[in-house]
Amino acid sequence: MLVHQILKSKGDGTVFTVRPGTLVSDAAQVLAERRIGGLVVSKDGKSVDGILSERDIVRSLALRGAVCLSEAVDDMMTRNPSCCSRNDTADDVLQRMTDGRFRHMPVTENAELVGIVTIGDVVKARLEELAMERNALEGMIMGH
């Protein structure tokens, strides 16, 4: 399974972004309203300047308190996040996410943001792929 197949199954392909300088509290509001776990930080909606996750916010709150909510996302985001391409395999993306201990990966093409995949997206796709393989094998065994 390839990343472009995962993106296609997700639907409209909207990637929510915030600009550098956005307050963390405003970014948290977007995360809550959209019921998502991460935002790409982008100055133009096309570049990937960083990524901000719920985990980043929670960690900062635990370490520094509510003062972090009045700071810019630039101070908290992960700079130069690991990205993938549409032609990367689900297994490769899953391995990179697991090894790096992160859950969101921007998808880029020619250094331009074209989507985002989460570890949940990749696991779901992989489970569907395994189910299809199992059904095919069962069909072969049963003589269908």
Side-chain angles (χ1 to χ4, degrees), residues 46-59:
K46 297 177 183 178
S47 63
V48 178
D49 302 311
I51 194 161
L52 179 73
S53 71
E54 292 172 320
R55 282 182 168 185
D56 295 326
I57 296 170
V58 168
R59 281 188 190 113

Side-chain angles (χ1 to χ4, degrees), residues 6-16 34 36 114-116:
I6 296 170
L7 291 175
K8 188 176 180 181
S9 73
K10 285 181 66 165
D12 72 359
T14 301
V15 180
F16 295 101
R34 300 293 181 180
I36 55 176
V114 295
I116 191 166

